[in-house]
Amino acid sequence: MTVKEIFESMDYGPAPEDASDALAWLVDQGDRFGHYINRAFTAPGDGFEAKNPATGNVLATLTQATQDDVDQAVKAARTAQPKWAKLGGHARAKYLYALARLLQKHARLFAVLETLDNGKPIREARDIDVPLAIRHFYYHAGMAQLMEAELPDRAPVGVCGQIVPWNFPLLMLAWKVAPALAMGNTVVLKPAEYTSLTALLFADICQQAGLPNGVLNIVTGDGAVGEMLTNSDVDKIAFTGSTEVGRRIREATAGTGKALTLELGGKSPYIIFDDADIDSAIEGLVDAIWFNQGQVCCAGSRLLVAESIAEDVYTRLKARMSGLRMGNPLDKCIDVGAIVDPIQLASITAKVDANTEGETFQTSAPEGCYYPPTLITGLHTASDLMQDEIFGPVLVSTTFRTPSEAVEIANNTRYGLAATVWTENVNLALDIAPKLAAGIVWVNATNLMDAAAGFGGVRESGFGREGGWEGLRAYTKPAKSPKPAANVTAFTGDKAPTDPVDRTAKLYIGGKQSRPDGGYSKPVWGKNGVLLGHVSLANRKDVRNAIEANASAAGWSKTTGHLRAQILYYIAENLAARGDEFANRLDAMQGGKKGQAEVDAAIDTLFTYAAWADKYDGAAKGVPIRGIALAMNEPVGAIAALCPDTDPLAGLVGLIAPAIAMGNRITAVASAPFPLAATDFIQILETSDVPAGVVNILTGDPTDLAPHLASHMNVDAMWSLNGHAAQIEAASISNLKRTWITDTPVAHIKPQDMLAHATEVKTIWVPYGE
Amino acid sequence: MTTATQTHLPQTTEPRNDGMELDMDWVMSVQANTSAIERRAATLPGRRSVKKDYQAAWLARAITCIDLTTLSGDDTPGRVRRLCAKARQPVRADILEQLGLPHLQTGAVCVYHDMIATAVDALQGSGIPIAAVSTGFPAGLSPFHLRVAEIEESVKAGAAEIDIVISRRHVLTGNWQALYDEMRTFRAACGDAHVKAILATGELGTLRNVARASLICMMAGADFIKTSTGKESVNATLPVSLTMIRAIRAYHQRTGLRVGYKPAGGISKAKDAITYLALMKDELGNRWLEPDLFRFGASSLLGDIERQLEHHLTGAYSAAQRHPIG
């Protein structure tokens, strides 16, 4: 076209980014890559091709790791770890700072290579992915510097296996690698097989930075390599990817003692209230569901619109969609690029084609590995597309009538990663944000991210946070590991009871003492062989009833910290009033004379968590926007807990108190050998204004009860100070509940650690400005 | 007689906005979320760029949308004649020849009332309309009847376009009816001359006020809405532009009528001009890239565009002294 013709047509025309430097880098590397192990690239072996999805062109040949490669990488990391940790925070900070600087110096090279490999628009790689990755390394250089002073009770986890997805290859690498290295861990990273190139370029950068041997190792390959890494001698697995694979990893690591964090899928709601700035909300949708072709775990993929404005919103949205420019991802003037791989394209296409409901609006897409921006309106919560993650540029929508209905629909999902709320009413926004089941809530914005703010989900969107102080918990463990509690077993005997009146120790469910569903009890003998009483043997139906009661007591989570403190003090008061009786009971069950000390310890614990109930503050994060990012400590929800066999009273109180102090409901399974302190404690709870269903106490065989509790889909977290790790962790995949299994005696667990287990950090982003 | 016959504007094909009843329900339902608007505005330059021939063509288009302006206390007939000559020949003839756009002219020339006669004379036969700032520009605080009379005088003197200033106090005190009535009166005084409503957005406090004032001026019959006088401390910005453009889109959606947009003040770089054109194209469509619906109020923008066009042709960066001043 001549200038004159363009003058008439006013088309945008091509604005391609020059890819020659990135292609030259590939050529310099021989277009073939091995793994990066112990600060050297291994010789390229058999493998697979890295392709540009926009053209189908082969960019390089990559090596499929063998078991031996994975073992070598883990061994290198294992050897390097103690030295890396011992270097100290300041020395590690210097390396991380160098990595940040080097990323910055090669920013455009990374961006172009990412776009070539992944198909995302160069604008996104250049303006979002790479700057956020750089920021993550700067931020965590600071964390390394501060670790000794600010986290004196934490130590590195050890060797971390990290598996990252193909949607944000470099950014997810940064999110995983930066905190791990900062905290003194070493890493074996496996990038996704579709998108390994920027990880290999990053390895090049690490070499330039002089990062010591074995601190960061990279192995390439498909899911089989991920499995090898999961099963290797690592201390932790950090995974970002699909919920399906996350489940497999949870199962594979069950009972191995490996720490695990999972950042999984989502079907995040995007709520537009009738007083919203509709044009801005629609522009937000562009950033929510058409960002990175919708291949974003936290994509606002479920549009919920106030019924009164729905038609207007849809009309304007369709007009906006028609203005999206799709095509060559290297074009600087492109909004939507290529889908990462033809397999993903087929998956998106199949899901949309299978839908027969609602009305579908699509713009057009170029030939090749592209999927057009799509809006499907008129769906209902019962529609598959409203529940299942599509992981493509497909927005589904339904309407709501009231704020409470908006919340109800928003939370009607297995997932809980992110949520977006648009309203000009600050009351409504701040009322809704805490009610949404999500790890991240954006008010009048979407997809805001920063290294200082925690990112991660609830429910089947996974567990653990990335970013902020809370993110460091995933890469540290308590510095001290006290001796595990000694094994104890129940006494047996044959002597008559000393108490002339028979007493029945029942279960405590929903504020009522109830007989066990199965109708079985078992005797409890004192050390001297005297029959102390009988306890109920709870079964799976009692578990069901207890969790049901926990669910009915959800209002407890909305109470104030002050109220919960008052109730905890009241429990302490009532326990103290009957201190002698409890001390005698403990002595009779366990023998010895330590009963009074245990009662005192339990009262101390109740005071401790009463004190914390209104002091476990959240934070306002220093994120680089005009606005606030609030980190709110929210209760995990319903917790099932296996109490330790030892310390039958202090162990019980040590789990119940932090749980309810933070607003959780809990079902506790009492010490199996010494259950009567727990059943006596029922009367304390009954007289202390604890609302029905907030605390349930079961007695019975933990081995029988653990799988039912761990697999129950309405339990949000399971704690065990009574072993059964393999069973619990394997069964937890039903709803991907958080699990915490420790053999540390309850008296040695720091309250802050307890409270961290009892809460989830929700990050609420509120940009402001008038 | 219509002004369109005197100018090169295609206004004959576009029904003029005669306005509508003041609809306060609509006005009060308008929202503008500042942070979100700023984010969109901030990412736009990174989302849209035009290169090579496309860039040259877009810059040429920008020239046709410039209201080449002088609004200074020291304006003289000589100064205005020079400006008018520049409007007729905004870019060196050899450059325009090579671009294949030999007859390029600016959208209008914009002056104070006293300079209209000079401009009419200087632009004779060019078809370039004269825009006059009016109504006690820039503050708009002279007696109301004099402001109305000023419009009438300017139209009589030959101005085809009148850039009026609204009473900011009506917005700041929430006296929307007064704003509507004032605009209605100004529009009536303009007769066949087209009226651009200057909102002085830098003085309206909030983007929500900008959005509401935009809507009211359109309801009262504005042909264009314009950001600024160029005399406020904050003039045209992308967030303000986005807010006003969205109001234009909403008005078009509701009434079918197209109202023009004129950002003024502070747009001095060729790259900014392209960003504004992209904003118009993305938010409103190609129809709004014509000079009857889009104008830049600018004085130094043209110089930068000239240098860019020469660079486009020669491959070497250009210098100001190679281009005649306006």
Side-chain angles (χ1 to χ4, degrees):
Chain A
M1 284 215 283
T2 64
V3 171
K4 187 168 170 39
E5 283 163 347
I6 303 166
F7 176 83
E8 300 298 337
S9 74
M10 287 300 282
D11 287 338
Y12 280 115
E17 175 75 31
D18 182 2
S20 55
D21 281 352
L23 295 171
W25 180 80
L26 292 170
V27 172
D28 286 349
Q29 312 295 310
D31 286 327
R32 289 168 63 79
F33 290 86
H35 312 294
Y36 181 72
I37 297 174
N38 229 0
R39 211 164 166 258
F41 281 96
T42 63
D46 291 340
F48 53 100
E49 288 170 336
K51 286 185 182 170
N52 177 349
T55 60
N57 293 343
V58 175
L59 295 166
T61 308
L62 305 178
T63 306
Q64 167 83 3
T66 62
Q67 184 66 50
D68 188 50
D69 293 329
V70 173
D71 291 345
Q72 291 298 324
V74 172
K75 198 176 138 203
R78 178 67 66 198
T79 309
Q81 198 271 326
K83 264 166 75 184
W84 177 245
K86 228 179 135 202
L87 270 185
H90 178 57
R92 291 198 302 275
K94 285 190 281 188
Y95 282 111
L96 286 161
Y97 179 75
L99 290 174
R101 283 291 190 192
L102 283 163
L103 271 173
Q104 208 159 25
K105 287 173 199 168
H106 301 293
R108 193 57 65 90
L109 180 60
F110 272 103
V112 173
L113 192 61
E114 195 78 306
T115 286
L116 284 171
D117 202 14
N118 168 280
K120 64 175 63 203
I122 183 67
R123 178 193 76 87
E124 294 178 7
R126 181 194 66 201
D127 296 349
I128 299 171
D129 292 41
V130 174
L132 280 174
I134 293 167
R135 162 98 176 118
H136 225 77
F137 276 96
Y138 276 127
Y139 181 85
H140 285 95
M143 285 302 198
Q145 179 73 29
L146 296 179
M147 184 181 181
E148 280 123 30
E150 299 301 316
L151 301 168
D153 300 324
R154 307 293 291 181
V157 174
V159 176
C160 301
Q162 303 183 322
I163 302 169
V164 295
W166 46 255
N167 56 347
F168 295 92
L170 178 70
L171 183 57
M172 290 302 106
L173 174 151
W175 282 20
K176 296 271 183 287
V177 169
L181 298 191
M183 294 296 104
N185 304 278
T186 53
V187 166
V188 179
L189 177 99
K190 189 199 88 70
E193 74 265 33
Y194 293 157
T195 56
S196 304
L197 295 180
T198 47
L200 295 165
L201 175 57
F202 184 77
D204 194 10
I205 295 282
C206 289
Q207 236 173 0
Q208 293 175 36
L211 194 70
N213 286 10
V215 170
L216 174 74
N217 306 276
I218 295 173
V219 290
T220 53
D222 60 13
V225 180
E227 263 175 64
M228 290 177 208
L229 183 56
T230 303
N231 294 324
S232 70
D233 174 34
V234 293
D235 301 302
K236 178 204 167 79
I237 292 289
F239 171 75
T240 295
S242 72
T243 295
E244 180 198 343
V245 176
R247 279 206 161 85
R248 289 215 296 272
I249 293 176
R250 171 70 289 181
E251 256 184 320
T253 55
T256 62
K258 286 174 192 164
L260 180 63
T261 44
L262 298 175
E263 205 272 271
L264 309 175
K267 190 78 185 176
S268 298
Y270 190 102
I271 308 170
I272 306 180
F273 286 102
D274 61 0
D275 66 342
D277 173 355
I278 293 174
D279 285 322
S280 288
I282 285 169
E283 202 55 48
L285 275 169
V286 173
D287 294 332
I289 187 66
W290 294 303
F291 171 50
N292 204 26
Q293 298 69 248
Q295 303 165 128
V296 183
C297 51
C298 57
S301 54
R302 221 162 23 112
L303 173 62
L304 313 181
V305 193
E307 201 169 331
S308 62
I309 57 165
E311 280 316 307
D312 186 21
V313 168
Y314 295 152
T315 305
R316 296 199 219 184
L317 178 55
K318 287 173 190 171
R320 180 67 186 94
M321 288 168 71
S322 304
L324 291 170
R325 304 195 76 237
M326 230 187 149
N328 177 11
L330 277 172
D331 192 311
K332 288 178 266 197
C333 208
I334 280 296
D335 297 310
V336 184
I339 298 296
V340 71
D341 188 270
I343 293 176
Q344 181 63 15
L345 179 65
S347 157
I348 298 166
T349 309
K351 281 175 184 161
V352 174
D353 288 354
N355 174 61
T356 54
E357 299 167 77
E359 285 173 48
T360 302
F361 173 82
Q362 281 187 330
T363 63
S364 60
E367 285 292 300
C369 200
Y370 293 92
Y371 196 85
T374 302
L375 168 70
I376 308 177
T377 53
L379 292 183
H380 304 288
T381 44
S383 314
D384 285 349
L385 289 188
M386 285 293 282
Q387 298 291 344
D388 298 335
E389 189 176 36
I390 300 169
F391 223 65
V394 182
L395 179 67
V396 297
S397 182
T398 192
T399 59
F400 63 84
R401 295 167 297 173
T402 61
S404 59
E405 190 175 59
V407 170
E408 193 184 1
I409 296 172
N411 289 347
N412 187 221
T413 169
R414 300 186 298 276
Y415 295 110
L417 189 49
T420 300
V421 179
W422 286 84
T423 171
E424 289 300 299
N425 178 346
V426 67
N427 291 310
L428 181 60
L430 297 182
D431 181 45
I432 296 293
K435 291 178 178 166
L436 293 168
I440 309 136
V441 177
W442 292 293
V443 175
N444 292 330
T446 204
N447 277 341
L448 300 180
M449 290 164 209
D450 183 61
F455 184 99
V458 299
R459 297 184 176 171
E460 292 183 28
S461 292
F463 41 78
R465 292 290 176 269
E466 299 187 288
W469 292 97
E470 57 269 39
L472 302 181
R473 292 195 67 83
Y475 289 100
T476 57
K477 61 180 183 185
K480 290 190 187 126
S481 43
K483 267 208 319 223
N487 280 334
V488 290
T489 47
F491 297 112
T492 54
D494 54 8
K495 293 185 193 160
T498 47
D499 191 343
V501 180
D502 183 77
R503 279 166 59 187
T504 308
K506 294 182 190 162
L507 306 174
Y508 185 57
I509 295 173
K512 293 195 183 71
Q513 299 200 29
S514 52
R515 294 180 194 283
D517 171 82
Y520 288 99
S521 299
K522 74 166 190 180
V524 180
W525 306 93
K527 189 175 183 188
N528 56 7
V530 168
L531 181 69
L532 297 175
H534 288 84
V535 286
S536 306
L537 291 176
N539 67 9
R540 61 191 174 89
K541 298 226 167 128
D542 298 307
V543 165
R544 178 199 64 192
N545 295 344
I547 303 308
E548 190 73 35
N550 279 158
S552 303
W556 178 252
S557 299
K558 299 190 185 81
T559 56
T560 63
H562 174 73
L563 174 85
R564 297 194 296 267
Q566 293 296 304
I567 288 176
L568 282 160
Y569 283 125
Y570 197 14
I571 297 171
E573 198 181 300
N574 287 327
L575 179 59
R578 292 170 60 177
D580 292 348
E581 179 195 328
F582 272 87
N584 291 337
R585 177 67 106 180
L586 290 165
D587 290 343
M589 281 196 298
Q590 304 179 95
K593 293 273 177 229
K594 291 182 182 160
Q596 187 58 50
E598 189 175 340
V599 172
D600 291 344
I603 292 168
D604 189 308
T605 299
L606 287 162
F607 264 68
T608 296
Y609 292 106
W612 272 115
D614 57 1
K615 295 177 191 64
Y616 193 56
D617 298 331
K621 296 301 185 76
V623 290
I625 63 161
R626 187 187 63 221
I628 43 173
L630 295 172
M632 311 263 280
N633 292 319
E634 295 196 338
V636 169
I639 296 171
L642 302 185
C643 295
D645 283 349
T646 54
D647 307 313
L649 177 67
L652 174 81
V653 170
L655 299 184
I656 289 177
I660 67 173
M662 294 297 104
N664 299 283
R665 294 89 67 197
I666 183 167
T667 294
V669 178
S671 158
F674 312 124
L676 294 176
T679 53
D680 290 350
F681 193 70
I682 291 169
Q683 291 187 356
I684 302 288
L685 293 170
E686 283 178 326
T687 53
S688 304
D689 293 347
V690 179
V694 171
V695 178
N696 301 311
I697 292 178
L698 302 180
T699 52
D701 185 347
T703 311
D704 289 345
L705 299 175
H708 299 300
L709 289 165
S711 65
H712 198 301
M713 296 193 195
N714 215 13
V715 171
D716 299 296
M718 180 139 183
W719 299 349
S720 172
L721 276 72
N722 200 319
H724 303 93
Q727 264 176 305
I728 291 169
E729 288 173 348
S732 72
I733 62 162
S734 64
N735 65 335
L736 285 166
K737 59 175 65 65
R738 292 97 189 88
T739 58
W740 175 41
I741 289 131
T742 179
D743 56 12
T744 302
V746 76
H748 294 291
I749 301 171
K750 286 173 59 75
Q752 287 87 338
D753 288 337
M754 275 286 186
L755 295 170
H757 286 291
T759 51
E760 291 276 10
V761 177
K762 175 186 272 181
T763 306
I764 304 176
W765 292 75
V766 191
Y768 51 71
E770 183 60 63
Chain B
M1 184 195 85
T2 67
T3 51
T5 56
Q6 300 175 340
T7 70
H8 60 185
L9 301 183
Q11 276 142 356
T12 44
T13 61
E14 192 69 50
R16 198 174 170 189
N17 172 35
D18 286 326
M20 57 183 279
E21 293 283 301
L22 178 61
D23 181 347
M24 279 310 295
D25 286 347
W26 184 8
V27 171
M28 295 318 285
S29 74
V30 168
Q31 298 288 6
N33 187 283
T34 301
S35 286
I37 288 168
E38 286 174 350
R39 275 196 306 279
R40 163 72 170 148
T43 60
L44 186 88
R47 283 181 191 270
R48 293 290 180 259
S49 66
V50 282
K51 300 290 172 201
K52 302 191 164 135
D53 281 355
Y54 287 85
Q55 192 177 69
W58 278 52
L59 290 175
R61 177 60 73 89
I63 290 171
T64 68
C65 294
I66 291 177
D67 279 3
L68 200 61
T69 302
T70 184
L71 295 170
S72 296
D74 57 2
D75 285 344
T76 59
R79 160 82 185 107
V80 169
R81 284 182 193 285
R82 191 176 77 200
L83 191 78
C84 291
K86 188 69 179 169
R88 284 169 174 270
Q89 183 70 53
V91 179
R92 259 174 29 215
D94 61 309
I95 294 177
L96 290 183
E97 204 61 50
Q98 287 185 69
L99 291 172
L101 295 165
H103 305 298
L104 212 65
Q105 293 182 332
T106 68
V109 163
C110 181
V111 293
Y112 270 116
H113 173 83
D114 265 12
M115 296 295 141
I116 295 173
T118 309
V120 166
D121 186 45
L123 292 172
Q124 203 70 26
S126 69
I128 299 174
I130 294 143
V133 297
S134 192
T135 66
F137 181 94
L141 286 167
S142 48
F144 185 69
H145 71 276
L146 294 183
R147 282 184 271 152
V148 176
E150 189 184 1
I151 295 174
E152 289 160 355
E153 287 295 322
S154 294
V155 173
K156 207 187 292 176
E161 302 176 7
I162 303 293
D163 290 19
I164 63 100
V165 291
I166 65 160
S167 294
R168 279 74 111 183
R169 63 187 183 281
H170 293 334
V171 177
L172 296 172
T173 58
N175 196 349
W176 305 112
Q177 184 69 50
L179 180 66
Y180 178 85
D181 293 343
E182 176 186 79
M183 184 68 222
R184 267 268 172 241
T185 308
F186 290 162
R187 160 71 200 261
C190 286
D192 286 340
H194 279 220
V195 58
K196 306 196 193 97
I198 302 175
L199 303 185
T201 54
E203 294 177 348
L204 297 187
T206 66
L207 290 181
R208 190 176 290 104
N209 275 348
V210 169
R212 289 179 176 166
S214 298
L215 206 49
I216 285 176
C217 287
M218 289 187 281
M219 288 172 176
D223 296 294
F224 260 76
I225 52 175
K226 174 177 169 184
T227 57
S228 330
T229 63
K231 311 291 185 190
E232 292 90 50
S233 57
V234 180
N235 295 296
T237 65
L238 282 178
V240 156
S241 298
L242 188 55
T243 306
M244 293 173 70
I245 285 168
R246 285 173 172 176
I248 291 171
R249 187 172 61 202
Y251 189 77
H252 175 248
Q253 208 170 29
R254 184 85 62 108
T255 66
L257 295 166
R258 292 190 171 89
V259 172
Y261 178 62
K262 179 177 173 184
I267 303 166
S268 56
K269 298 290 174 206
K271 193 174 183 339
D272 297 340
I274 286 181
T275 300
Y276 273 92
L277 287 168
L279 184 69
M280 298 301 289
K281 182 177 167 75
D282 266 31
E283 295 284 332
L284 288 169
N286 277 14
R287 181 62 190 84
W288 265 271
L289 301 177
E290 307 276 342
D292 65 327
L293 289 175
F294 183 57
R295 296 286 179 81
F296 290 105
S299 42
S300 58
L301 172 63
L302 181 56
D304 197 49
I305 293 178
E306 288 173 271
R307 286 198 297 277
Q308 295 306 321
L309 289 176
E310 187 171 34
H311 171 236
H312 171 72
L313 294 173
T314 64
Y317 290 107
S318 182
Q321 69 270 19
R322 297 176 55 79
H323 306 280
I325 57 173

